[in-house]
């Protein structure tokens, strides 16, 4: 079978200086993409920013014959995303794909200690900033005719993790953004999907106090193992849209939201819910709606919808 080439494709990768983002950028460049390495260069302890991490990755790609530039725009701001897109177009003449990888995490926040500033800092980067970047690049993705957007969610955002309401809220918000964008992009040939990656990176350090586990995880959960699904979803040959995939430790699977057939009676009581609860939650014959309209179809039933 023919190799999947990115020759002539222009891809922006955010948070691309280290860890998962670096692995994505390196793979795309190896396959021929013109890659924009966007990263503020802020260390996990908050020091920085510094242009050096992004510049180092771009230089490495060029040293191996690839095409890459470094960009240090703050993608949590409107001015930052506009600058990033403008620089990409100035350098490479197009934007064909976005890999929205930039993110952060924090541990140990219980619900009784939730602070608005922490919500804002994570949402601004991982939800608002992603939306702003997509908005700034949208016209170029439409021009491409084969625009691709790869978002980063998390198992935490889908299934939950303890003591981290900020991160789980942001990564869960990515899924809502994904579903809407997939509908909006369909008419323009833009495919939008998300990946829930699992890899040992700087952000993972401190997650466990078990030294033996951390050693094993570092050896086996390499960022390079997640890069292929991201590469596939960023490729012009990618067909799915609006989908979520889990990847790590060499494993790839799909995560989806289903809807049970449920139970219906126009006027019903609390007791009716109790008495029919088993049917309401029966997952046999569940559906996977493509849109909110599809998910409401069984509710409308015999409604005279033209």
């Amino acid at each position: 079978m023919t190799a999947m080439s990115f020759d002539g494709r222009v891809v922006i990768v955010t948070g691309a200086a280290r860890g998962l983002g670096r692995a994505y950028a390196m793979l795309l460049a190896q396959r021929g993409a013109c890659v924009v390495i966007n990263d503020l260069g802020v260390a996990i302890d908050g020091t920085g920013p510094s242009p050096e991490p992004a510049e180092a990755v771009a230089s490495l790609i060029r040293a191996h014959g690839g095409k890459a530039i470094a960009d240090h725009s703050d993608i949590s701001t409107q001015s930052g995303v506009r600058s990033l897109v403008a620089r990409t177009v100035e350098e490479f003449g197009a934007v064909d794909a976005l890999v929205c990888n930039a993110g952060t995490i924090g541990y140990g926040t219980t619900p009784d200690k939730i602070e608005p500033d922490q919500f804002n800092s994570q949402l601004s980067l991982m939800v608002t900033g992603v939306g702003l970047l997509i908005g700034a690049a949208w016209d170029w993705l439409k021009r491409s005719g084969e625009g691709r957007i790869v978002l980063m969610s998390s198992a935490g955002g889908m299934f939950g993790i303890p003591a981290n309401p900020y991160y789980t809220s942001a990564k869960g918000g990515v899924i809502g953004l994904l579903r809407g964008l997939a509908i909006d992009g369909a008419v323009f040939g833009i495919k939008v999907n998300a990946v829930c990656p699992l890899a040992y990176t700087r952000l993972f350090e401190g997650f466990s106090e078990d030294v033996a586990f951390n050693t094993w995880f570092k050896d086996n959960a390499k960022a390079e193992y997640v890069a292929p699904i991201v590469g596939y979803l960023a490729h012009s040959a990618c067909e799915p849209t609006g989908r979520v995939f889990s990847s790590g430790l060499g494993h790839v699977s799909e995560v989806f939201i289903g809807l049970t057939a449920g139970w219906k009676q126009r006027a019903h009581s609390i007791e009716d819910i109790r008495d029919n609860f088993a049917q309401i939650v029966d997952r046999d014959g569940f559906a996977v709606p493509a849109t909110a309209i599809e998910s409401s179809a069984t509710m409308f039933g015999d409604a005279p919808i033209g």
Side-chain angles (χ1 to χ4, degrees), residues 266-286:
R266 283 282 193 268
H268 57 260
S269 66
I270 297 174
E271 290 76 18
D272 289 328
I273 295 294
R274 177 198 64 199
D275 296 342
N276 291 278
F277 198 75
Q279 183 177 344
I280 292 170
V281 300
D282 184 356
R283 297 184 184 183
D284 287 345
F286 70 85

Side-chain angles (χ1 to χ4, degrees), residues 25-37:
M26 294 297 293
L27 177 60
L28 293 167
Q30 289 165 8
R31 293 299 183 106
C34 302
V35 184
V36 179
I37 310 297

Side-chain angles (χ1 to χ4, degrees), residues 133-271:
L133 174 57
I134 291 168
W138 193 252
D139 284 344
W140 290 100
L141 294 168
K142 286 164 58 176
R143 292 187 200 188
S144 171
E146 297 176 324
R148 298 291 182 265
I149 301 172
V150 187
L151 307 180
M152 294 297 138
S153 185
S154 165
M158 296 295 294
F159 304 114
I161 52 176
N164 207 327
Y166 313 121
Y167 181 77
T168 54
S169 295
K171 289 304 187 182
V174 168
I175 303 304
L177 184 61
L178 158 74
R179 299 297 297 174
L181 290 171
I183 298 169
D184 294 334
V187 68
F188 304 113
I190 299 172
K191 306 293 177 66
V192 191
N193 294 284
V195 174
C196 298
L198 181 63
Y200 188 93
T201 67
R202 292 180 312 124
L203 296 182
F204 189 87
E205 292 177 5
F207 182 80
S208 173
E209 296 181 357
D210 188 322
V211 176
F213 171 77
N214 283 337
T215 300
W216 178 89
F217 193 73
K218 185 175 184 179
D219 291 339
N220 290 276
K222 297 184 183 300
E224 289 78 7
Y225 296 163
V226 181
I229 183 64
V230 174
Y232 171 74
L233 297 174
H235 197 275
S236 59
C238 168
E239 287 299 329
T241 191
R243 312 276 277 275
V244 183
F245 300 89
S246 174
S247 180
L249 294 153
H251 177 267
V252 183
S253 57
E254 182 177 8
V255 181
F256 60 91
I257 299 171
L259 184 71
T260 67
W263 168 82
K264 183 175 182 179
Q265 180 177 297
R266 283 282 193 268
H268 57 260
S269 66
I270 297 174
E271 290 76 18

Side-chain angles (χ1 to χ4, degrees), residues 29-30 32-33 58-68:
Q30 289 165 8
S59 296
L60 180 61
I61 290 172
R62 292 194 297 267
H64 285 82
K67 298 178 181 178

Side-chain angles (χ1 to χ4, degrees), residues 76-100:
S76 68
T77 67
Q78 184 78 276
S79 60
V81 297
R82 288 175 176 173
S83 173
L84 169 57
V85 171
R87 181 143 188 264
T88 301
V89 173
E90 180 181 6
E91 183 72 24
F92 295 124
V95 179
D96 296 300
L98 303 175
V99 177
C100 301

Side-chain angles (χ1 to χ4, degrees), residues 122-135:
Q122 297 211 16
L123 290 170
S124 67
L125 176 61
M126 293 187 285
V127 181
T128 306
V130 171
L132 292 175
L133 174 57
I134 291 168

